[in-house]
Amino acid sequence: MSVSDDGEDIVSVEDLSVTYRSVYGPIKALGGINLKVKRGESVSIVGESGSGKSTLGLATVHLLPQNASYTGGRLMLDGKDVATMHGRELMAMRGNTAFMIFQDPLNTLNPVSRIDAQMLEAVRSRAKHDNTSFNQEEALKEAVQKLEDVRMPDPASIIRRYPHQLSGGQIQRVVIAMGLLMRPKLMIADEPTSALDVTVQAQVLKLLRELQREYNMSIIFITHDINVAYGISDRIVVMYAGEVVESGPSDKMTKNAQHPYAQALIKSVPTTTKKQGRLTAISGSPPNMLNPPSGCRFHPRCPYVMNVCTTTSPKETIKDGDAVRCWLYG
Amino acid sequence: MVSNFGFFVTRRAINALITVVLLLALVFALLHILIPSPEAMARIIVGNPRASPGITASIIKANNLDAPLYVQFFNYLWNTIHGNFGVDTQLHIPEVDVLKEYLPITLELVVVGQIIGVLIGLYTGAIAAANRNRAPDYGMKALYLTTWSAPIFLVAFIFQLILAYWLNLLPASGVVDPILYAPHYVTGMPLVDALIAGDWVYFWSALQHLLLPAFTIAVIGFGLVTRIERSSMIDALDRDYVKLAYMKGLSKRKVVWGTAFRNALIPIITLVALLFATSVGGSVIVEVVYHYHGMGFFTVNAAFNYDYTAILAFTIIIGISVIAANFVADLLYAIADPRVRLT
Amino acid sequence: MAISNPFRRKPIRATEVAVETQTEPAKTHEVKRGFAFYVEYIAKDKPALLGTVIIGAFLVFALIEGALQEAAALLHQSPYNANLGTILLSSNPIALRFSEQLLPPSFKNFPDLLLGSNFQGQSLLSSILYATPHDAVASLLVVGSAIFIGMFVGTSAGYLGGWTDEVMMRLTDAFLALPAIVLAITISVLIGGGFTSLLVALTVIWWPTYARFFRAQALTIRNKGYVEASKLSGSGWLKILVRHIIPNSVDPIIAYATLDMGTVILTYATLAFLGIGVTSGYPEWGYLSSSGLQFFPQQWWYSVIPGVVIAVVVVAFTLAGDRLQDLIGGRITY
């Protein structure tokens, strides 16, 4: 296994492409993605549905759907190339290196087994990979401890329930606790809060932020809500139509976004401080990925569109500390 | 939890009882729509289409055939509940005794056949799902589309021909070697009674005779299980909980069989009850081809003798068995899927 | 990659990337599709195409054979002289030929003995052709009347709701608790033998499934806005049935009826095998098979061949029906 040059990065993506086979022909869900996540860093990936942000998350842990495949570039996770992993390597990577939380709380736990069984499974798997012995009672204690860590009230009773007896917020906490049991270096969260109530959402986000510091994990937080991204991460990556259009520190991005799409995303966020009564919606509809627009993929919806945008794809340039792909700055 | 489950069981039991009463009403209605006149009914009861008016009149009187329909229905209901299915018009013994003799044999055949069929279906379905849209998937589909389209007697002939007559592996017909003495009647099922009596020779012979008919029933039924298992397995494999299981670092085998399969099993339980009716229907043909003297064999004979009490008794018993199977399936469903119990 | 990725999604999932936020207006309820659409849809799938060709051949043979037999009856001729067997194979399905008893399939006298001969020396091929009209009529008539009865009972139950609905549902429950073969035996014993009574018996068995299907359709449609609008504008139940329920049911009904015609042929053959509903001298497929039983296993082809013919025809219906099921998402709701 080749070790990445930069040992600082837990995730290092270079020019990654992922393609879906479909009945209508190949769909390039990700094209030429570059992304680095440092150890202990929290990065948000923001984009609308279909921008490829979830595909990027699944690609990181080698859980792409059957009809999708890595078609170019490299994805290094903790110094190892994910695309070429198989069998035991995959099993060791999942859980130990990275853990992923999914979107739909109704679907995310096995409906036919109890919480304790599902959590113990995680401990047992970790023990197997670490070649340590597994003790049922200690494991159970540890599971309860982790549930306490995720601020779950009355963990001893929760752990004996079935998933359908828990609320959405409780389920996401259980899943996070399960992740903590695995002690991963990287936690990927694919819109874990979008199905929850706003108050619960805020609690879960706060929890993730705290746990990240406590356990010194890296977090990749996938969301469509730039507001949430700002709250949880050090850095924001904005994706559009399978490409990264802008990335930079959270503060800078939200205050001074460069790319017209990122600007539009921020304008569409309702805030109490906004004096104007109108929210700005992004005009037009997301691109058809079977036949994406030529040149810059955002040009059909861009208010600053120029001739060059329709023909040539912009290169990444650095503007005020943000990496941005737009002809306005190129 | 326990009280919830108790409540669930009670409610399902009541539902099943209502369906049984409706089944009786249905058979009764069918009987009276098809044979509206008491005289015709009387002729059928004596089993003689040319019975004289004197005889029919006495039969009508004896069986209350001229009473209002609702009175007749309640008499009928009352008799059935007390296990009084009338006297067989051919054998002149109570129908219950005939049922006691033949029903267990058929039940044993159907249950064994069904178990084999479900196992084949689960295995082929899981394989098809794990190899979706590849050669094994298409192969399984070709297999089950053919078997569920083939007439049962054809499947029976082919098995009998190849395995019994050409390869001499198994006996071609009968329930058990006729020179053997039957063990003491306990359940009426040859295998079970032989086990209880510890009669291994009889058990071995009964098992050998059972295999071909049971496999025939399995072959005609497994396709439905394959099909449903395939789609529910594909559905389960797509769920986030399967991805989460992978994220726990579990092996593919553990995820597929431990997590996905367990969930994909749930719809199969309901299907098994549905399949039970099909298997019982199929057992009629299977019993005729293999001379397996169970209820199906007897029913066909009764049909030719216009043995109306026998036919009706068998129809009702089969209907009740199917409703009972549905009831058991409901309970199993509740045990397998914790979500059902609370609703 | 040594280990295959287990997450197999439906192809549509990939396209969601592209289409999920498209702002097309929601699909309206009525999808108008011509006959050509179904032909083209089936033709795209080779096994289904094969099935359709076999079904077509079966129906054409049945039509010609039936017409010949009817014409003979009208002209007061014996139908045994006017049939495809006599005309095409010059082998009368009923004439006794003692020199040709129980012959295995062969190319001798092609195509007369292609499928062998029975114990009276009659060509099995000729006998099988002779019986096609019964199977075709049974499948078309039983499924047709079941759809018709089920449509009226089901839609009225679903539309009226309440007690009518409750009774109807429990009644179909009771019907479905009885295996088709057992119920068919019971009914045909009660009303006496013969082809017509068997058709009645099969229809009595078959309607409840369709009633359930149409009830479900009526329930869905009842709650949709456009029916409300239609009700307000003063149209009656019959109009809603014709305008909304029937057009919406075309796809599932075509898919289900195609599969069901195969099942009816199967059940019919099985009953004929038992000798139920068989007119003496009429070579029903199932009956042909069971009359070979006494020569089993020595002349095994005698029993097996009619069974194989039944299987081929039913498989044809299954292949076509299976393809049509994909049209409605492989799911039949009733």
Side-chain angles (χ1 to χ4, degrees):
Chain A
M1 272 299 126
S2 62
V3 176
S4 165
D5 301 331
D6 192 352
E8 288 235 317
D9 294 332
I10 180 84
V11 180
S12 157
V13 183
E14 283 162 36
D15 198 29
L16 178 75
S17 300
V18 169
T19 309
Y20 284 86
R21 295 181 304 278
S22 85
V23 279
Y24 306 105
I27 294 170
K28 205 166 185 182
L30 296 178
I33 299 280
N34 288 302
L35 177 74
K36 280 189 178 1
V37 179
K38 292 195 184 68
R39 288 174 199 279
E41 189 187 26
S42 164
V43 174
S44 277
I45 299 176
V46 184
E48 55 198 8
S49 27
S51 61
K53 56 189 196 304
S54 292
T55 305
L56 181 57
L58 292 172
T60 312
V61 290
H62 206 301
L63 271 181
L64 287 172
Q66 181 220 17
N67 59 350
S69 49
Y70 302 92
T71 44
R74 275 205 317 178
L75 200 163
M76 307 295 284
L77 180 60
D78 202 19
K80 288 174 188 157
D81 189 349
V82 172
T84 59
M85 282 188 185
H86 57 264
R88 297 211 155 274
E89 265 179 294
L90 272 178
M91 284 160 62
M93 174 272 283
R94 292 177 186 149
N96 283 13
T97 310
F99 190 80
M100 188 159 174
I101 303 168
F102 300 93
Q103 180 171 3
D104 181 7
L106 290 178
N107 240 327
T108 205
L109 288 175
N110 184 354
V112 299
S113 14
R114 280 189 347 195
I115 306 297
D116 49 3
Q118 300 192 44
M119 292 190 79
L120 289 190
E121 209 172 34
V123 185
R124 199 175 289 123
S125 159
R126 186 194 72 204
K128 206 172 140 199
H129 292 304
D130 297 352
N131 275 323
T132 50
S133 63
F134 171 78
N135 178 312
Q136 176 103 12
E137 269 171 45
E138 274 174 35
L140 205 59
K141 239 181 249 165
E142 195 185 345
V144 172
Q145 175 61 44
K146 294 296 177 212
L147 283 178
E148 272 168 16
D149 281 5
V150 297
R151 323 320 183 227
M152 178 81 89
D154 194 14
S157 115
I158 290 282
I159 206 164
R160 282 197 303 274
R161 296 198 190 164
Y162 283 97
H164 71 274
Q165 296 165 313
L166 304 186
S167 69
Q170 284 174 320
I171 286 179
Q172 291 303 39
R173 277 165 208 259
V174 167
V175 177
I176 293 169
M178 209 179 269
L180 297 180
L181 282 172
M182 305 294 297
R183 299 176 197 147
K185 296 170 187 162
L186 168 71
M187 182 90 89
I188 303 170
D190 186 357
E191 306 217 21
T193 58
S194 49
L196 305 178
D197 291 343
V198 182
T199 45
V200 184
Q201 187 177 357
Q203 288 167 7
V204 172
L205 289 175
K206 182 163 164 271
L207 173 71
L208 273 175
R209 193 78 173 136
E210 288 166 9
L211 290 173
Q212 184 220 346
R213 291 193 189 115
E214 270 172 51
Y215 285 79
N216 194 29
M217 290 183 296
S218 307
I219 288 187
I220 293 181
F221 196 88
I222 299 166
T223 178
H224 61 269
D225 186 345
I226 201 160
N227 210 11
V228 168
Y230 173 71
I232 192 159
S233 48
D234 311 322
R235 223 145 51 77
I236 292 178
V237 175
V238 179
M239 284 185 70
Y240 184 79
E243 291 172 346
V244 172
V245 293
E246 179 167 358
S247 69
S250 299
D251 275 344
K252 206 163 218 159
M253 275 286 280
T254 38
K255 289 197 188 103
N256 189 17
Q258 307 291 327
H259 195 279
Y261 176 66
Q263 289 170 355
L265 270 183
I266 288 158
K267 269 192 210 146
S268 65
V269 173
T271 57
T272 47
T273 54
K274 262 186 194 160
K275 290 285 185 288
Q276 306 96 314
R278 282 176 65 90
L279 287 176
T280 326
I282 305 175
S283 62
S285 53
N288 180 344
M289 293 298 286
L290 269 170
N291 186 15
S294 59
C296 171
R297 289 182 171 180
F298 188 59
H299 85 257
R301 299 167 75 184
C302 183
Y304 313 109
V305 62
M306 302 177 284
N307 276 339
V308 64
C309 303
T310 60
T311 52
T312 324
S313 185
K315 292 278 161 296
E316 193 177 281
T317 44
I318 306 294
K319 166 88 174 138
D320 295 344
D322 278 12
V324 56
R325 286 175 70 165
C326 179
W327 284 117
L328 286 174
Y329 314 102
Chain B
M1 213 64 179
V2 175
S3 62
N4 269 329
F5 193 67
F7 181 69
F8 178 84
V9 173
T10 323
R11 221 183 43 192
R12 289 302 154 124
I14 291 170
N15 265 357
L17 279 179
I18 292 175
T19 315
V20 169
V21 171
L22 272 159
L23 172 77
L24 294 176
L26 169 73
V27 171
F28 182 81
L30 217 54
L31 192 66
H32 283 267
I33 290 168
L34 297 174
I35 307 160
S37 84
E39 285 78 21
M41 188 80 86
R43 280 196 290 273
I44 285 178
I45 289 177
V46 286
N48 178 5
R50 277 174 288 279
S52 71
I55 294 174
T56 55
S58 68
I59 294 283
I60 289 172
K61 206 167 174 75
N63 291 287
N64 267 332
L65 291 183
D66 49 358
L69 275 184
Y70 69 89
V71 176
Q72 287 195 52
F73 178 65
F74 280 107
N75 285 341
Y76 175 69
L77 209 59
W78 186 254
N79 284 332
T80 311
I81 288 167
H82 289 84
N84 178 7
F85 293 97
V87 175
D88 193 286
T89 57
Q90 299 296 313
L91 302 171
H92 305 291
I93 53 170
E95 213 60 78
V96 179
D97 294 341
V98 184
L99 287 175
K100 264 190 201 155
E101 170 80 24
Y102 291 113
L103 180 66
I105 293 174
T106 297
L107 280 183
E108 186 179 89
L109 169 65
V110 170
V111 167
V112 173
Q114 181 112 27
I115 290 172
I116 299 172
V118 169
L119 289 180
I120 298 175
L122 288 178
Y123 187 68
T124 50
I127 287 186
N131 297 284
R132 188 173 169 192
N133 293 341
R134 281 191 253 137
D137 186 17
Y138 295 125
M140 295 302 168
K141 187 161 185 175
L143 184 69
Y144 75 70
L145 286 187
T146 316
T147 51
W148 90 23
S149 301
I152 312 161
F153 51 88
L154 179 67
V155 177
F157 286 155
I158 291 172
F159 274 4
Q160 208 178 25
L161 199 60
I162 296 174
L163 295 172
Y165 289 118
W166 290 351
L167 299 177
N168 261 324
L169 292 176
L170 292 163
S173 61
V175 180
V176 69
D177 195 333
I179 59 167
L180 296 173
Y181 283 108
H184 181 66
Y185 186 105
V186 184
T187 60
M189 300 183 190
L191 284 182
V192 179
D193 279 1
L195 271 183
I196 292 171
D199 186 344
W200 293 105
V201 180
Y202 192 90
F203 181 81
W204 180 237
S205 170
L207 183 66
Q208 281 185 313
H209 283 82
L210 179 69
L211 281 180
L212 279 186
F215 261 101
T216 310
I217 287 179
V219 163
I220 55 159
F222 84 91
L224 205 57
V225 180
T226 309
R227 198 184 175 96
I228 304 294
E229 170 69 7
R230 176 184 178 274
S231 64
S232 62
M233 191 78 178
I234 285 172
D235 180 60
L237 285 171
D238 252 5
R239 296 297 179 107
D240 280 349
Y241 55 75
V242 165
K243 286 185 200 154
L244 189 74
Y246 274 107
M247 284 323 301
K248 286 192 244 175
L250 302 178
S251 65
K252 183 184 178 187
R253 212 179 47 144
K254 257 202 167 140
V255 175
V256 169
W257 295 103
T259 306
F261 185 71
R262 174 94 208 270
N263 279 283
L265 216 53
I266 294 170
I268 300 298
I269 296 170
T270 323
L271 188 69
V272 170
L274 195 80
L275 206 59
F276 185 77
T278 319
S279 297
V280 171
S283 76
V284 174
I285 311 299
V286 167
E287 288 181 10
V288 169
V289 175
Y290 290 104
H291 291 273
Y292 203 83
H293 288 199
M295 222 160 70
F297 190 83
F298 191 85
T299 311
V300 173
N301 279 333
F304 283 109
N305 298 324
Y306 293 95
D307 188 346
Y308 129 100
T309 45
I311 295 266
L312 286 186
F314 287 141
T315 309
I316 289 161
I317 278 294
I318 284 170
I320 290 175
S321 323
V322 172
I323 292 166
N326 274 304
F327 174 64
V328 172
D330 273 350
L331 297 194
L332 288 178
Y333 196 110
I335 290 167
D337 189 347
R339 284 165 295 186
V340 177
R341 274 173 245 166
L342 290 173
T343 53
Chain C
M1 213 169 72
I3 195 165
S4 58
N5 193 308
F7 299 117
R8 298 152 210 291
R9 289 177 179 243
K10 297 155 200 116
I12 193 143
R13 177 70 192 188
T15 63
E16 272 172 30
V17 172
V19 296
E20 68 185 0
T21 36
Q22 273 178 10
T23 48
E24 266 186 332
K27 202 181 75 175
T28 47
H29 64 291
E30 267 151 289
V31 190
K32 289 258 176 351
R33 283 166 172 163
F35 183 67
F37 168 82
Y38 294 100
V39 173
E40 205 189 311
Y41 184 79
I42 282 187
K44 275 188 199 150
D45 185 58
K46 283 204 186 86
L49 186 63
L50 176 72
T52 314
V53 169
I54 296 174
I55 295 171
F58 163 67
L59 291 178
V60 166
F61 271 123
L63 188 72
I64 298 173
E65 181 73 49
L68 285 174
Q69 291 176 19
E70 284 303 314
L74 275 178
L75 300 171
H76 304 289
Q77 297 282 317
S78 160
Y80 302 126
N81 296 322
N83 58 64
L84 282 173
T86 312
I87 294 164
L88 293 180
L89 316 176
S90 55
S91 101
N92 190 318
I94 204 72
L96 309 180
R97 299 187 295 183
F98 292 110
S99 57
E100 321 239 290
Q101 278 172 328
L102 296 171
L103 292 177
S106 70
F107 290 105
K108 193 182 131 198
N109 233 344
F110 185 80
D112 183 18
L113 291 174
L114 193 62
L115 301 181
S117 67
N118 70 3
F119 70 108
Q120 293 168 316
Q122 296 148 352
S123 155
L124 275 180
L125 179 58
S126 174
S127 303
I128 285 167
L129 280 178
Y130 190 81
T132 44
H134 267 194
D135 289 84
V137 166
S139 61
L140 289 169
L141 218 60
V142 169
V143 173
S145 6
I147 292 175
F148 195 72
I149 298 170
M151 190 168 74
F152 278 96
V153 178
T155 47
S156 5
Y159 195 74
L160 298 173
W163 262 104
T164 332
D165 187 34
E166 199 57 36
V167 169
M168 208 282 294
M169 285 307 286
R170 293 283 84 78
L171 191 66
T172 53
D173 268 352
F175 261 105
L176 295 172
L178 289 169
I181 290 174
V182 175
L183 194 55
I185 294 175
T186 313
I187 297 175
S188 32
V189 166
L190 290 176
I191 57 180
F195 183 58
T196 322
S197 69
L198 196 58
L199 289 187
V200 173
L202 287 173
T203 309
V204 169
I205 294 162
W206 243 266
W207 70 267
T209 356
Y210 288 96
R212 286 191 156 214
F213 167 80
F214 278 105
R215 174 182 174 271
Q217 287 283 0
L219 282 182
T220 345
I221 286 169
R222 193 172 67 166
N223 301 324
K224 283 195 181 156
Y226 54 84
V227 175
E228 284 302 317
S230 171
K231 242 197 269 183
L232 287 178
S233 66
S235 43
W237 164 76
L238 198 66
K239 202 167 171 192
I240 289 169
L241 176 70
V242 174
R243 281 270 177 84
H244 300 290
I245 294 178
I246 294 178
N248 263 304
S249 311
V250 172
D251 278 359
I253 283 294
I254 286 184
Y256 196 57
T258 309
L259 280 177
D260 236 16
M261 282 170 69
T263 319
V264 169
I265 293 178
L266 206 56
T267 314
Y268 179 73
T270 307
L271 290 167
F273 176 84
L274 295 174
I276 287 162
V278 176
T279 321
S280 82
Y282 195 94
E284 299 288 359
W285 291 355
Y287 189 67
L288 277 175
S289 191
S290 64
S291 60
L293 259 183
Q294 47 187 314
F295 308 102
F296 198 80
Q298 286 76 28
Q299 279 84 27
W300 55 269
W301 63 85
Y302 184 178
S303 283
V304 169
I305 282 174
V308 171
V309 170
I310 297 163
V312 167
V313 172
V314 181
V315 165
F317 278 104
T318 310
L319 290 176
D322 192 62
R323 170 72 175 159
L324 288 169
Q325 277 213 309
D326 290 345
L327 196 64
I328 50 168
R331 203 177 300 254
I332 284 170
T333 43
Y334 55 86

